[in-house]
Amino acid sequence: MLGKGIICLCFGFAYIGVLKTTPSAGLDLVLRIMPLPLWGALWFITGFMLIAAAFKVDPRGRSGC
């Protein structure tokens, strides 16, 4: 989860506009739903949630789902 969280943060930075990348042609469909910075914010929030979940301790001592 930690690795996937870091990848989500990188996507968020790229889509918000911090890295100054141009949108690819494959993003046409999602850009009809929401603007690219909003998608970046969602990726960023998801990345933070994944990183927080990676360090969450199960209070009952069980592992698994």
Side-chain angles (χ1 to χ4, degrees):
M1 271 197 226
L2 181 63
K4 289 186 183 224
I6 292 170
I7 290 171
C8 284
L9 288 177
C10 292
F11 272 109
F13 277 129
Y15 288 161
I16 287 173
V18 173
L19 301 179
K20 303 293 182 200
T21 58
T22 58
S24 64
L27 294 174
D28 287 338
L29 180 63
V30 296
L31 289 177
R32 292 179 187 167
I33 299 169
M34 287 188 296
L36 198 58
L38 190 56
W39 282 110
L42 290 176
W43 275 103
F44 206 71
I45 291 168
T46 304
F48 274 124
M49 289 174 60
L50 281 170
I51 291 172
F55 293 106
K56 183 179 180 253
V57 177
D58 188 10
R60 294 174 289 229
R62 295 186 312 193
S63 63
C65 295

